[in-house]
């Protein structure tokens, strides 16, 4: 066992990278669920975002165009879900599952010509002096822009939901859509916008995997992160900062357990491998003892005539 | 996933119904990953395409990808048998028990399980001696490492993977007594993000050679980003990452076997076999060793490939002790296939425990 082989600064820096796709997807889904819609299609929107981002980055040579395309791709796919659930009043659970399956198939089709290609890399923030600082440099000042965007987005969603009129309307729609409708708010419009926002965030999360974390395209490369994001929203009791905490905890323990294994620490590998799931759930369950509950209209369809 | 399978099998059923009149042999494949993984499943699918190429209209192939190992595999294999397959290849170790169970229910269908050891009247097993390729990799790794630290991304603690670690370690140690292996078990065959994280953790801890027993090219991408790290293609050539970081590869070539076995079913000569072929028959191929490897090391590696191929050298030749120091193979003694097939111990010098 040689714990000195693990550098804390590099560990923290890489846990932030590992957590970001999860954070991006989960913060988008949080907004969707706050509006009273349960979209189980996160995995599908992520993988479509991953291929859209990858393909456009390769074709244009610009990672920023790719990121934009990933958001558009995720949002477009989510409008399909929005149409099914908001206008056709289809069951949200079934539509969400179908969206995931559709997304997985569509991305495999779109990605056929992109297997084995290397994308142009995303420039990292590099502030002379600051980035080279020991310890704090690699943690705070040497990441790609999307990682900071994830943190900013969490703060923005938190502030929006808590302090703004828009946030109030969104929450009202999610808690009691009939009341919101009676007050004259356009429930369907709010929900569609929320669903598209969620899709864009999931697409962004997917692009983070295909452009930065892995960087390459392979079928099925999101490997269940969308599903973990869905669970994370529930365990974080629909609170933005807890989503961030949960994502960093999950990403962190995942990276830590790999590092501990490489350092040869004498904990059975099976325990290390399951620790990210167990510890994240445990911490969030303890935190959720404050009886926060799901938005009351979550998963229910709304039609003005009902 | 279940819905995809339903859809896929519905499509397959339709296809079967339309072709039922013709006298075709139906060959099914169960894959653990997506065909586009660039590694393990990709090569099996190349084998399937070779079968189609060889027999044309006389054969019909179909497959299901992303079938989880475990209970659900039994359902997927059963479905394939119900659809009228004459021959079914199940291509991952975790399908062993499900394959045996389904085979009992369909005595007229022939089954072939890759990398397992349980046979029955209608179940053959086949595997390749990947450890021969890993011996070559280990030799190159031992010669090339400057930090004397070799990282190894391991999937599941099954004999196949343990054998690979031992083989690579023995041959790295032989040319570099100071070499040390850092092993990470990721408990997956295919999860690019996790494989990338594992590769990064190994590289951050000083590994400048990363070996992998997982199926994606994510470790190659991580090594490329890190700079002075070399890797090897796994299952597939992965030459798009050459000449650096990928300096060579182990390629699985299943096509001749799949063609031969399909032919046997057509001729009615199919019988239960236990195939374990290596470099000698070409089931294991060594991808081109790139120029990043110095010429003398390359020559030594090629000599080893030749010796493994003509049988003059066995990758497990004594003296080799087990991890606890007890003797396993005496000077000049070679390991028998039975021990290799069920290998569940590390050889002397590897640090750490095998998860059980």
């Amino acid at each position: 066992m040689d714990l000195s082989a693990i550098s804390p600064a590099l560990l923290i820096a890489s846990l932030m990278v590992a957590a970001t796709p999860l954070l991006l997807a989960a913060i988008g889904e949080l907004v969707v669920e706050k509006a009273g819609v349960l979209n189980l299609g996160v995995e599908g929107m992520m993988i479509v975002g991953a291929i859209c981002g990858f393909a456009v980055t390769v074709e244009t040579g610009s990672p920023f165009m790719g990121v934009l395309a990933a958001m558009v791709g995720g949002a477009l796919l989510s409008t399909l879900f929005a149409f099914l659930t908001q206008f056709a009043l289809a069951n949200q659970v079934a539509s969400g599952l179908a969206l995931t399956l559709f997304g997985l198939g569509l991305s495999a089709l779109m990605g056929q010509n992109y297997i084995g290609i290397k994308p142009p890399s995303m420039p990292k923030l590099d502030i002379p002096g600051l980035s080279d600082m020991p310890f704090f440099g690699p943690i705070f000042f040497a990441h790609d822009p999307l990682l900071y965007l994830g943190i900013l987005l969490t703060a923005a969603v938190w502030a929006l939901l808590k302090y703004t009129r828009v946030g109030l309307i969104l929450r009202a729609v999610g808690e009691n859509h009939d009341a919101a409708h009676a007050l004259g708010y356009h429930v369907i419009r709010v929900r569609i916008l929320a669903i598209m926002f969620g899709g864009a965030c999931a697409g962004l999360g997917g692009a983070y995997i295909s452009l930065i974390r892995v960087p390459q395209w392979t079928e099925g490369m999101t490997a269940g992160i969308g599903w973990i994001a869905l669970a994370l929203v529930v365990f974080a009791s629909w609170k933005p900062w807890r989503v961030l905490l949960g994502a960093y905890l999950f990403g962190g323990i995942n990276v830590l357990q790999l590092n501990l294994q490489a350092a040869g620490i004498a904990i059975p590998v099976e325990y290390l491998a399951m620790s990210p799931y167990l510890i994240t759930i445990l911490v969030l369950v303890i935190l959720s003892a404050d009886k926060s509950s799901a938005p009351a209209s979550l998963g229910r369809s709304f039609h003005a005539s009902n | 996933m279940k819905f995809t399978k339903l859809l896929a099998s519905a499509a397959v059923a339709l296809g079967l119904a339309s072709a039922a009149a013709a006298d075709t042999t139906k060959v099914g494949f169960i894959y653990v990953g997506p065909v586009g993984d660039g590694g393990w499943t990709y090569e099996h699918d190349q084998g399937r395409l070779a079968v189609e190429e060889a027999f044309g209209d006389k054969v019909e192939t179909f497959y299901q990808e992303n079938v989880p190992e475990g209970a659900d595999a039994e359902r997927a294999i059963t479905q394939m048998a119900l659809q009228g397959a004459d021959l079914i290849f199940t291509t991952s170790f975790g399908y062993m028990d499900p394959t045996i169970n389904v085979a009992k229910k369909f005595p007229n269908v022939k089954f072939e399980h890759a990398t397992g050891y349980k046979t029955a009247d209608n179940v053959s097993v086949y595997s390749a001696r990947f450890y021969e390729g890993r011996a070559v990799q280990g030799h190159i790794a031992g010669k090339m490492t400057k930090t004397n630290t070799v990282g190894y991304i391991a999937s599941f603690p099954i004999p196949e993977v343990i054998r690979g670690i031992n083989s690579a370690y023995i041959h790295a140690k032989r040319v570099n007594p100071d070499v040390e292996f850092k092993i990470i078990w990721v408990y997956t065959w295919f999860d690019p993000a996790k494989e990338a994280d594992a590769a990064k953790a190994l590289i951050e801890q000083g590994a400048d050679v990363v070996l992998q027993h997982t199926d994606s090219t994510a470790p190659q991408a991580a090594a490329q980003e890190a700079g002075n790290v070399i890797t090897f293609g796994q299952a597939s050539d992965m030459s798009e990452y050459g000449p650096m970081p990928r300096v060579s590869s182990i390629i699985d070539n299943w096509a001749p076997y799949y063609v031969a076995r399909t032919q046997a079913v057509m001729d009615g000569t199919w019988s239960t076999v236990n195939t374990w072929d290596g470099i000698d028959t070409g089931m294991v191929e060594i991808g081109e060793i790139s120029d990043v490897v110095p010429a003398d090391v390359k020559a030594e590696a090629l000599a080893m490939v030749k010796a493994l191929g003509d049988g003059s050298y066995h990758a497990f030749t004594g003296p080799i002790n087990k991890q606890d120091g007890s003797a396993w193979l005496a000077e000049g003694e070679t390991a028998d296939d039975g021990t290799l097939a069920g290998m569940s111990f590390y050889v002397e010098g590897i640090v750490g425990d095998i998860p059980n």
Side-chain angles (χ1 to χ4, degrees), chain B residues 41 62 71 91 99-100 104 186 200 242 245 253 255 276 291 306 345:
Chain B
T41 295
F62 43 94
T91 63
T99 303
I100 295 287
K104 276 184 199 142
V186 290
K200 280 178 200 157
N253 183 6
W276 203 13
D291 291 338
K306 189 166 176 295
F345 57 87

Side-chain angles (χ1 to χ4, degrees), chain A residues 101 118 213 216 259 261 270, chain B residues 3 185 197 205 217 356:
Chain A
L101 298 173
K118 283 158 278 185
R213 191 167 164 209
Q216 57 173 231
N259 271 283
Q261 280 198 46
E270 298 90 331
Chain B
F3 283 87
W185 296 93
D197 286 348
Q205 291 196 25
T217 49
N356 47 41

Side-chain angles (χ1 to χ4, degrees), chain A residues 15-29:
Chain A
L15 86 81
M16 293 169 85
V17 172
T20 298
L22 183 57
L23 173 67
L24 287 167
I27 206 74
E29 179 66 11

Side-chain angles (χ1 to χ4, degrees), chain B residues 319-341:
Chain B
I320 301 173
N321 290 342
K322 294 186 181 179
Q323 190 184 30
D324 57 13
S326 62
W328 174 37
L329 296 174
E331 176 83 45
E333 190 185 352
T334 56
D336 62 277
D337 280 359
T339 314
L340 288 182

Side-chain angles (χ1 to χ4, degrees), chain A:
Chain A
M1 180 167 78
D2 182 18
L3 281 182
S4 63
I6 304 175
S7 149
L10 287 179
L11 185 71
I12 296 172
S14 50
L15 86 81
M16 293 169 85
V17 172
T20 298
L22 183 57
L23 173 67
L24 287 167
I27 206 74
E29 179 66 11
L30 180 136
V31 170
V32 178
E33 294 193 15
K34 272 286 183 188
V37 179
L38 183 64
N39 185 354
L40 296 182
V42 181
E43 180 83 5
M45 299 186 298
M46 278 187 96
I47 192 92
V48 166
I51 183 58
C52 287
F54 189 89
V56 170
T57 303
V58 169
E59 298 301 339
T60 63
S62 156
F64 292 97
M65 289 303 292
V67 165
L68 206 64
M71 292 173 70
V72 171
L76 273 181
L77 191 65
S78 73
T79 51
L80 184 67
F81 173 84
F83 174 77
L84 286 173
T85 58
Q86 303 307 309
F87 293 115
L89 299 187
N91 179 292
Q92 293 183 5
V93 171
S95 307
L97 290 171
L99 195 70
T100 286
L101 298 173
F102 179 63
L104 287 171
L106 182 69
S107 63
L109 186 70
M110 289 168 68
Q112 273 176 348
N113 297 325
Y114 293 97
I115 294 170
I117 295 179
K118 283 158 278 185
S121 64
M122 171 87 67
K124 287 191 174 181
L125 192 69
D126 191 16
I127 309 166
L130 283 179
S131 302
D132 303 326
M133 249 193 333
F135 195 74
F136 293 105
I139 298 177
F140 294 112
F141 303 111
H143 288 295
D144 53 275
L146 282 192
L147 188 141
Y148 301 105
L149 182 66
I151 300 169
L152 283 178
L153 206 59
T154 312
V157 165
W158 168 75
L160 185 97
L161 288 175
K162 196 171 167 80
Y163 295 115
T164 68
R165 185 175 171 78
V166 173
L168 201 63
I169 297 169
L170 187 89
R171 277 155 51 206
V173 165
E175 290 296 340
N176 189 334
H177 50 218
D178 293 322
H181 177 65
L183 285 170
Y185 295 118
H186 202 307
V187 174
I188 302 293
R189 188 187 301 153
V190 170
R191 286 190 170 165
I192 289 175
L193 288 175
I195 290 168
M196 289 179 70
F197 176 78
C201 287
L204 197 58
Y208 196 86
I209 299 177
S210 65
L211 290 179
I212 296 165
R213 191 167 164 209
V214 175
Q216 57 173 231
W217 165 253
T218 36
E219 280 176 38
M221 69 183 308
T222 48
I225 293 175
W227 297 108
I228 297 170
L230 277 168
L232 184 61
V233 174
V234 177
F235 283 113
S237 332
W238 294 270
K239 290 185 164 65
W241 291 116
R242 283 192 196 166
V243 166
L244 180 89
L245 174 77
Y248 275 28
L249 207 60
F250 183 82
I253 298 167
N254 223 333
V255 171
L256 179 66
Q257 69 99 356
L258 295 172
N259 271 283
L260 289 176
Q261 280 198 46
I265 192 173
I267 300 173
V269 174
E270 298 90 331
Y271 294 116
L272 287 175
M274 67 179 162
S275 60
Y277 304 89
L278 281 183
I279 296 176
T280 308
I281 289 173
L282 198 69
V283 168
L284 291 173
V285 163
I286 292 169
L287 279 178
S288 61
D290 63 1
K291 305 277 178 253
S292 307
S293 56
S297 295
L298 184 61
R300 286 170 50 206
S301 295
F302 174 78
H303 191 269
S305 65
N306 289 340

Side-chain angles (χ1 to χ4, degrees), chain B residues 173-227:
Chain B
K173 188 85 175 172
R174 218 163 261 176
V175 292
N176 180 353
D178 296 325
V179 82
E180 198 188 325
F181 269 37
K182 285 180 185 283
I183 300 160
I184 293 183
W185 296 93
V186 290
Y187 286 92
T188 176
W189 290 114
F190 179 79
D191 182 343
K194 195 162 201 176
E195 293 169 52
D197 286 348
K200 280 178 200 157
L202 289 165
I203 293 165
E204 278 167 14
Q205 291 196 25
D208 62 353
V209 180
V210 175
L211 302 175
Q212 69 184 93
H213 205 134
T214 50
D215 299 341
S216 88
T217 49
Q220 273 70 26
Q224 191 163 49
E225 197 188 315

